[in-house]
Amino acid sequence: TSAIEGLALFNGRLFVADWKDGSIYRIDPAAPAPVQVGRLPIGPGTAILGAAADSVGDLFFAQPDSGIIYRVAVGRLGARDFDPARDVTVFATSVKHANGITFDAHGHLWITGGDVDALYQVGPKGGQALVFAKDFSPLSTDTTMPVRGYVVNGVALDSKGNVYSLDTGTGAITRIAVKSDYTAGPATVLVKDSRLLGADGLIIDRN
């Protein structure tokens, strides 16, 4: 009955949220039995997609139907009196179909639109997310591809500040330059390959 999509990493531990009831679990790879450390204020069966941790360890989760990014303060994780109504706050809004999320080095949160052809970003203080780029990731013409609608899915940033997104239905990864004022520079298809059809998340390593 559990469904888990996003995965956040902080200080060598993993964090996930379960669609079944919004429970947040911590997993230590050295002793990987999940430990419940909180719960999101959502109804049973509500989808929770992207997950990320910021530089201090606060957790963030994307809820696509509402377009909300929730924040959970690291200091409340695992508290006996954890209360979703008090300990979970709305960090960002206006991202319908919010999917993949990741932070850049300056604390801006990047959010993909999933089946909306748009990439969003919001500053370190949160608030209403802004469209960074749109209409750059076309829908696959292959109508037999069951997940062709997810045109802006995974998201990652490299050390130079470029942002990347993944089109699940076409297997294309697009790189977009990020200008100093957080407007979009040139967009380039880095790779498009049938072996990436159905791919979802993205991550870039330190190199």
Side-chain angles (χ1 to χ4, degrees):
T1 59
S2 296
I4 290 170
E5 170 112 354
L7 188 68
L9 172 67
F10 184 75
N11 200 25
R13 294 178 176 180
L14 306 174
F15 296 86
V16 299
D18 191 345
W19 300 15
K20 177 177 62 179
D21 55 8
S23 292
I24 301 167
Y25 294 97
R26 181 183 64 223
I27 301 103
D28 183 344
V35 176
Q36 185 174 346
V37 292
R39 186 167 57 84
L40 296 174
I42 58 176
T46 303
I48 309 157
L49 299 183
D54 67 8
S55 61
V56 300
D58 289 349
L59 299 180
F60 297 76
F61 297 96
Q63 207 294 300
D65 299 327
S66 64
I68 288 174
I69 307 298
Y70 290 106
R71 175 170 57 189
V72 187
V74 62
R76 296 299 299 162
L77 292 172
R80 282 189 165 189
D81 60 345
F82 188 96
D83 182 353
R86 179 192 63 207
D87 296 322
V88 180
T89 58
V90 172
F91 177 74
T93 62
S94 303
V95 196
K96 270 293 188 181
H97 303 269
N99 199 312
I101 59 175
T102 193
F103 282 95
D104 68 15
H106 304 290
H108 285 244
L109 182 65
W110 294 82
I111 313 156
T112 63
D115 57 357
V116 176
D117 188 358
L119 177 63
Y120 304 83
Q121 67 88 16
V122 64
K125 294 182 179 180
Q128 183 173 338
L130 302 174
V131 174
F132 170 77
K134 64 177 181 177
D135 302 329
F136 64 89
S137 193
L139 186 69
S140 170
T141 57
D142 181 3
T143 57
T144 66
M145 169 60 63
V147 290
R148 67 192 286 261
Y150 294 97
V151 291
V152 184
N153 214 352
V155 61
L157 291 107
D158 65 18
S159 60
K160 297 178 181 178
N162 298 304
V163 64
Y164 298 75
S165 77
L166 172 66
D167 186 326
T168 296
T170 65
I173 297 174
T174 300
R175 177 176 57 209
I176 306 175
V178 181
K179 297 181 181 179
S180 59
D181 62 352
Y182 275 83
T183 57
T188 306
V189 176
L190 178 70
V191 61
K192 183 178 180 181
D193 195 296
S194 61
R195 289 170 293 185
L196 299 179
L197 291 174
D200 191 330
L202 280 175
I203 190 168
I204 294 179
D205 69 16
R206 70 184 68 185
N207 297 316

